Amino acid sequence: MRYELKYTELIFEIINSERFKNGLEIINTSYPNLKQEALIRNLILEELNSRFLSAGITNLKAFAEHPRVKGTRIDLSIVDVDTIESPFKIEFKYQFSKDCNNMKDYWKVVDRDFEVRVSDLFILIISDWDVQEKSYFDSQWGITSNLSRYVSKKTDWKANIIQNFKRFEKAQLKECETISVKNPYRTQYYFYLLSR
């Protein structure tokens, strides 16, 4: 039996769910001093496998860091046991709003991870937060990583990232609703899904 929703649509649905938002709140509360790419990827992986299982679909399974392609591991794949040689390959990137010159030059990253690696789906996660709140939190707990230095003071990064994605004319872009969490400080997560 094949899963009825296309994988990109399914992941879009997962990211826009209340359950996913609650998971992000837990991640941000527990790991406020880290780049959260692998944690968010794992949250999506666990939800995919949970949905497959609860729907009685036994031929599909999501895996992290699988398969290896030319010495590189794919961030996440969905494997159909009947066609294991052609998994659905997903690359993740977690960025801050100031990265790549306020996202002006981000197309190079997309080209490498989406085009060169021939991924089926590229998921970009950008986190942005209230710098003063995070500064207070970090000083309260003695956190010295200062991730806020990567947060843009401007908002043009939002338009810049869309311009970067437009370069990939044969791909489709889906923007998820912005997800806001409150703990341990206000943080917004922006998800962009670029698919073939």
Side-chain angles (χ1 to χ4, degrees), residues 83-111:
T83 57
I84 59 170
E85 65 282 347
S86 57
F88 186 82
K89 299 176 296 204
I90 306 164
E91 286 295 330
F92 280 81
K93 280 292 177 251
Y94 179 95
Q95 306 289 165
F96 302 110
S97 55
K98 196 175 178 182
D99 290 348
C100 297
N101 191 20
N102 284 338
M103 306 310 284
K104 283 181 190 166
D105 305 321
Y106 198 70
W107 69 270
K108 297 171 188 173
V109 175
V110 179
D111 187 61

Side-chain angles (χ1 to χ4, degrees), residues 5-192:
L5 287 175
K6 291 186 177 182
Y7 299 138
T8 301
E9 291 296 322
L10 175 59
I11 292 168
F12 183 78
E13 183 182 289
I14 287 169
I15 292 169
N16 285 312
S17 71
E18 193 63 30
R19 183 169 161 156
F20 186 79
K21 179 183 177 181
N22 294 338
L24 276 183
E25 187 94 39
I26 292 166
I27 287 172
N28 205 49
T29 301
S30 299
Y31 305 96
N33 62 320
L34 296 178
K35 203 168 180 182
Q36 301 168 352
E37 179 178 313
L39 299 159
I40 294 171
R41 179 213 50 207
N42 292 349
L43 184 62
I44 291 172
L45 177 148
E46 291 164 9
E47 184 62 21
L48 282 166
N49 285 332
S50 173
R51 287 185 181 212
F52 295 151
L53 222 66
S54 66
I57 299 168
T58 58
N59 62 308
L60 297 178
K61 188 160 181 63
F63 293 94
E65 306 292 326
H66 171 78
R68 287 183 182 270
V69 177
K70 297 179 185 173
T72 304
R73 292 179 295 219
I74 302 300
D75 289 332
L76 176 69
S77 64
I78 301 172
V79 178
D80 184 331
V81 76
D82 300 323
T83 57
I84 59 170
E85 65 282 347
S86 57
F88 186 82
K89 299 176 296 204
I90 306 164
E91 286 295 330
F92 280 81
K93 280 292 177 251
Y94 179 95
Q95 306 289 165
F96 302 110
S97 55
K98 196 175 178 182
D99 290 348
C100 297
N101 191 20
N102 284 338
M103 306 310 284
K104 283 181 190 166
D105 305 321
Y106 198 70
W107 69 270
K108 297 171 188 173
V109 175
V110 179
D111 187 61
R112 183 190 67 229
D113 281 8
F114 185 63
E115 294 293 352
V116 174
R117 291 188 180 176
V118 195
S119 302
D120 298 296
L121 178 61
F122 176 85
I123 298 177
L124 171 62
I125 307 154
I126 299 178
S127 65
D128 198 50
W129 54 76
D130 184 295
V131 172
Q132 287 182 320
E133 280 187 35
K134 179 153 174 55
S135 178
Y136 175 78
F137 176 84
D138 287 355
S139 65
Q140 181 183 23
W141 293 99
I143 295 171
T144 59
S145 56
N146 189 21
L147 293 176
S148 290
R149 70 185 184 270
Y150 303 116
V151 172
S152 180
K153 293 178 179 154
K154 303 175 185 177
T155 60
D156 62 341
W157 66 266
K158 294 176 186 179
N160 292 341
I161 195 59
I162 298 301
Q163 285 305 117
N164 279 262
F165 282 128
K166 285 182 179 176
R167 296 175 78 113
F168 302 90
E169 295 172 359
K170 294 182 180 177
Q172 288 118 16
L173 177 65
K174 290 180 82 67
E175 284 183 71
C176 296
E177 293 286 325
T178 303
I179 300 172
S180 298
V181 299
K182 297 177 189 167
N183 294 306
Y185 44 83
R186 286 177 291 167
T187 304
Q188 289 77 44
Y189 290 90
Y190 299 83
F191 287 82
Y192 303 89

